[in-house]
Structures are given as structure tokens and as C-alpha cells.
Amino acid sequence: MRVQFVLSEIGIGLRRNLTMTIAVIVTVAISLALFGSALLIRKQVEAMKDFWYDKVEVSVYLCGDASQTPSCGGQAVTESQRDELQAELRATPQVQEVFYESQEQAYAQFREQFEDSPDLVENVTAEALPESFRVKLRDPTEFEVVASAFNGRPGVEEVQDQKELLEGFFNVLNKMQQIALVIAGIQLVAALLLISNTIRVAAFNRRRETGIMRLVGASNLFIRLPFLLEGVLAATVGAALASGALVALKAVLIDGQLRPNFPVIAYVSWADVLWILPFLFGTGILLAGLSSFVTLQRHLRV
Amino acid sequence: MIRLEHVSKSYPTSTRPALDDVTVDIDKGEFVFLVGSSGSGKSTFLRLLLKEEVPTGGRVQVAGKDLTKLSHWKVPALRRSIGCVFQDFRLLPNKTVFQNVAFALEVIGKPRSVVERVVPEVLELVGLEGKTKRMPDELSGGEQQRVAVARAFVNRPMILIADEPTGNLDPSTSIGIMKLLDRINRTGTTVVMATHDAAIVDSMRRRVVELADGKLVRDQTRGVYGYGA
């Protein structure tokens, strides 16, 4: 009797308040979808860090004929300078491996990288590209040690950390995550106010029923439960929609668009997406329950 | 059953207290009329018994419990032992007669089997056995009040509180309601009824407690509505 009674009360309440309920569901869904996206971006950054930090190298570019850097002295690196640099790089404790890349190898890689833009390839010759040492570090964060030791050395044009290029990209992603979180927060506040208002209207609509319930000695919990569950149910539906949106994002945007077009990048896995979904439901249900409870304390005298 | 000891009640919005040092003792099974003009404190008196209000001074005891010390979560249990009837019936317009009475049992968690056994019994007691499927707006005022009495009594409370139950009814219908309350009283239920209806008080010859400006001015065992009547 109890369960059936509470359920039918919830049904009556939701139907009576249909427009408000839809508004609650939509705001909760948008807010949680953004919250989920923010978590997904964080996961994406982690995935890319794991993937790239393994592969990033420090490039020690050597002077060419046209180098302007003072340490080059206006001439290309000599053979003895090159041998000395290579020996010293090998002797540096932070360095794991050193590869030499000649101008021809650099050119070959360049052509491969830009095979889609033949105009660019045509205008570049092997002589325009610098020869370099590709240095793999034991710990990718120890770039500074290598940079300070080799920058400005005779025959070295520039020491470049590929990680820095990635950091720029990660910064963009982090900014996106922050923006998503801020909007999610604002939406969440709006959702809470809407839930609170919906319940206030519902409590007002049913003041006859609740008045009689109070008089005949129904417990506080029993009087409040239908209202509380209404808010929680709407939030749960919102969380389900947000989960659907995240799954669609992963399936359509990441797996359908990004992965075929940029296959070299690591992407968030389905496990990452599934890991986020319980957070969406938890956040939605907890906040809806809380705001319902606070509203009922204020507007449903028992 | 009901004991008020030097009870006072002031509202923050009024300078004059609604109740001023009232002491009344009502035994189990008594039938008591609470009379007095509007604003004399009758409603406050009844609200104190339900712990809808808390006295600003003195002690209220109902069914052996000191309401001034009763904790918040025990109030529902108190109200289950008290039935209430009002001048405006307070029925749910979208529920049938049966559902209105059943509602009082459902919301305190009684199982369906109890509801289906007890509700027809009490509807028969109030004389509405043929109208269980009617909606409240299809009934006369007297019949609606009978539904309200059935709802108040369905849980077999120890006390029945009636706040001007005949206030909206014509005299002949009122007599029917009074007969019903009298029958309920004979089952051992204590009845406290606030009223303006002099004819009813005079004809019943029961205990009369009169309030004026919040003070107890009369407590007579077989009283009438006014002095000198």
C-alpha cells in the first residue's frame, strides 16, 4: 500500500507540473552533460599525455649554411663539432637515447609529413632543413638540464623541446575544461533553483492533501517523500539524457570523426566514458535531493 | 485525558494573549462544548491539543503525554490518536467518499486489507453506506460533513475534536451531525466541540466550557449556551 501510494502521488505531481518538470529535466541534462564533458576533456588530456610523453624528444638543431644564431658564427656545423656534441649528449645522465638526423632524412620525413600539400614540398630543398640530434630523455620533464647544457654551444642552432608544443595544446584543452566547468556550474545553480521552485509550486498545489495528511498523523517522511522523489526522479532522467549525450559524443565525434581523421592521437576509451557516468547520476541525484529537502523544510510545514 | 494547567498563548502579532491562564481538566469519555464569541481563543485551545501551536506558558497534557515536552517526531503519533472535524469539511474534491476516508488510513501506512475492511464499517456508522462512490461535490453539506466525521473516526481515535462542525449546516442537518457525534461519544471517545450554536448546546445539556478574551469564564457540567437561559 505504502509504495503504491507514494508512487501514484509522484505520478500525479509530475503530471500536474509537466512544463516545470520538463524544464528541470532539460537544465539538469545540459548542466550534467557539460560537467561530463569537462571530465572527459580531463581524461583526454591524461590519455594524450600518457601517449605523447612517451614519444616526445628534444631536438638539438645544428647550424646550417644560412643560420643566423650567434653561436653558429655564420657557418655550418663542422664534423668535429658534431662528433663532440654527440659524444657529450651520450654522456649526459638524463639522456636515454640519441639519434642523428641528417638533412636528407629530415627532408624525407618532411615530404612524407606534407605529402598532401605538394606546393610546399616543391619549394623546400634538403639544404633548407637543419640536421639535428633527436634526444630521448629518461624523464621528459628534465628538458631544462639538457637545454641549458647545449644551448649556445658552437655548432648548435637551437635546442627545442617538443613537449612545449604539446603544452600549448594541453593549455587549450585545459581552458576548454575550465569553461565547461564554469557553464556547468551556472547551469547547475539554475537547475537547483528550478527544482526548488517546482517543489514549492507542487507543495502549494497539494496543500489540501498535505494539510489532511498532517492532521491524521502521517509522518514527516511520508508527507515529504513524494515531493523529494519527484525532484530526484526528474534529476535522474536529466542525468540519463546527459549520459546519452556523452555516449553520443564519444561514438559520433571522437570515434566517428576525430579518430579516422587524426589517427596518430590517443583518445579517451569507453572505459573512461563509463567511469564518468556514475558521477553524473550521483551529482544529479544528490543535488536534487538536497535542494528538494531544503525547499521542503522551508515551505512544507509539518 | 486532556489537562491544561495555567496555559497561556500569545502571538507575536497581537498584544492581547489568545489564551490567558486557562486551566481545564477533561476526563476520558466526556463530551465538552467549547463556547465563546469569535476571537475568544477557542481555535487556539483546539490547536494546542494537536500541537499545531506551542503554549507560551503552562502545560498541556493529552492522553498522558506532556505536549510541551513532546519531541517533534512524536507529533504524528499524537495526531493519530486525535480525530478532527472542521466547519469547512476539508475533503479532497478529486477523490470519492470511500477514497477520502481511505486516504486517512493510507497515509499512516495501514495495509490494504485493513482499509477495505474498516472504511465500509465507518461509512455505515455515519449512514453513507450507499454513497461510497460519490464525489464530494455530489453530496449535500450534511453528507459531506458525515464523510469528514467518518475520516476523523476511521482510525478509532481516543479524542475527537470538532471545530464548529455545524457552522455551515441548517438546523435539521445539524441535529443529524450531533446525533452522530453523540453516538461516537458513547463508544468511549472523548469529544471536544467548539461551537456558536446555542440551540445545540442547550438541547444536549453537556459540559460547557466558556472562554472570553482568552480567559476561562465558565465551566459547567450540565450547561447551556448563555447565562440565565
Side-chain angles (χ1 to χ4, degrees), chain A residues 29-252:
Chain A
I30 292 175
S31 132
L32 288 180
L34 283 167
F35 178 58
S37 305
L39 292 179
L40 210 58
I41 291 173
R42 183 201 208 87
K43 281 276 163 192
Q44 176 65 26
V45 169
E46 278 171 15
M48 290 175 87
K49 274 186 180 163
D50 286 349
F51 182 77
W52 284 108
Y53 277 12
D54 246 19
K55 295 177 177 52
V56 289
E57 295 164 338
V58 172
S59 302
V60 180
Y61 290 107
L62 303 179
C63 298
D65 290 329
S67 296
Q68 301 293 315
T69 320
S71 56
C72 291
Q75 54 174 354
V77 63
T78 65
E79 205 153 317
S80 64
Q81 282 173 335
R82 188 190 300 136
D83 291 343
E84 196 186 326
L85 285 168
Q86 181 161 21
E88 267 195 54
L89 278 170
R90 292 231 156 92
T92 308
Q94 287 82 6
V95 171
Q96 195 177 2
E97 276 179 287
V98 180
F99 307 97
Y100 171 70
E101 191 182 73
S102 69
Q103 287 184 311
E104 284 71 30
Q105 285 165 331
Y107 183 61
Q109 216 189 356
F110 180 82
R111 278 177 50 170
E112 197 182 318
Q113 230 169 351
F114 293 96
E115 60 185 347
D116 292 342
S117 11
D119 290 353
L120 186 63
V121 176
E122 260 173 48
N123 286 320
V124 173
T125 60
E127 285 71 39
L129 297 170
E131 53 186 304
S132 63
F133 287 114
R134 294 293 155 105
V135 180
K136 187 146 179 54
L137 300 177
R138 288 182 203 286
D139 175 356
T141 58
E142 288 196 59
F143 164 73
E144 278 307 318
V145 182
V146 180
S148 59
F150 290 90
N151 243 338
R153 287 283 293 270
V156 174
E157 188 178 16
E158 195 192 0
V159 181
Q160 193 189 52
D161 187 7
Q162 289 180 338
K163 190 156 67 70
E164 243 165 63
L165 300 172
L166 285 177
E167 295 287 300
F169 183 59
F170 288 155
N171 281 340
V172 172
L173 283 181
N174 281 333
K175 281 269 158 14
M176 280 168 62
Q177 185 197 355
Q178 283 164 11
I179 292 169
L181 273 181
V182 168
I183 301 175
I186 294 171
Q187 283 282 332
L188 215 54
V189 171
L192 293 187
L193 293 178
L194 261 177
I195 289 173
S196 162
N197 200 36
T198 308
I199 285 174
R200 205 157 72 188
V201 171
F204 183 77
N205 279 341
R206 272 183 279 165
R207 62 194 184 287
R208 254 177 186 281
E209 280 89 341
T210 51
I212 291 165
M213 284 170 145
R214 277 183 337 103
L215 271 178
V216 301
S219 65
N220 293 354
L221 182 72
F222 198 85
I223 296 175
R224 287 177 176 177
L225 202 62
F227 297 98
L228 199 72
L229 290 182
E230 257 176 66
V232 168
L233 194 69
T236 309
V237 175
L241 288 178
S243 303
L246 272 199
V247 168
L249 187 75
K250 160 77 174 153
V252 175

Side-chain angles (χ1 to χ4, degrees), chain B residues 74-86:
Chain B
K74 280 184 177 163
V75 172
L78 166 78
R79 291 183 184 157
R80 284 177 203 195
S81 63
I82 304 174
C84 285
V85 181
F86 299 93

Side-chain angles (χ1 to χ4, degrees), chain B residues 35-83:
Chain B
V35 302
S37 54
S38 297
S40 59
K42 299 192 301 293
S43 291
T44 301
F45 186 106
L46 296 182
R47 290 168 69 81
L48 284 173
L49 302 185
L50 292 162
K51 212 184 174 195
E52 287 213 61
E53 305 281 357
V54 188
T56 37
R59 241 154 52 108
V60 179
Q61 271 185 303
V62 173
K65 290 177 207 140
D66 185 347
L67 297 198
T68 38
K69 288 187 190 143
L70 193 70
S71 65
H72 191 67
W73 61 275
K74 280 184 177 163
V75 172
L78 166 78
R79 291 183 184 157
R80 284 177 203 195
S81 63
I82 304 174

Side-chain angles (χ1 to χ4, degrees), chain B residues 153-202:
Chain B
F153 190 62
V154 70
N155 196 31
R156 306 285 156 159
M158 292 185 285
I159 300 168
L160 189 79
I161 289 176
D163 193 356
E164 305 195 21
T166 59
N168 274 346
L169 306 175
D170 61 63
S172 62
T173 314
S174 296
I175 290 168
I177 294 293
M178 289 317 298
K179 279 186 176 156
L180 181 56
L181 291 182
D182 186 48
R183 197 183 315 159
I184 284 172
N185 176 240
R186 284 176 203 282
T187 66
T189 304
T190 312
V191 178
V192 182
M193 173 171 158
T195 188
H196 279 131
D197 197 327
I200 284 174
V201 177
D202 293 345

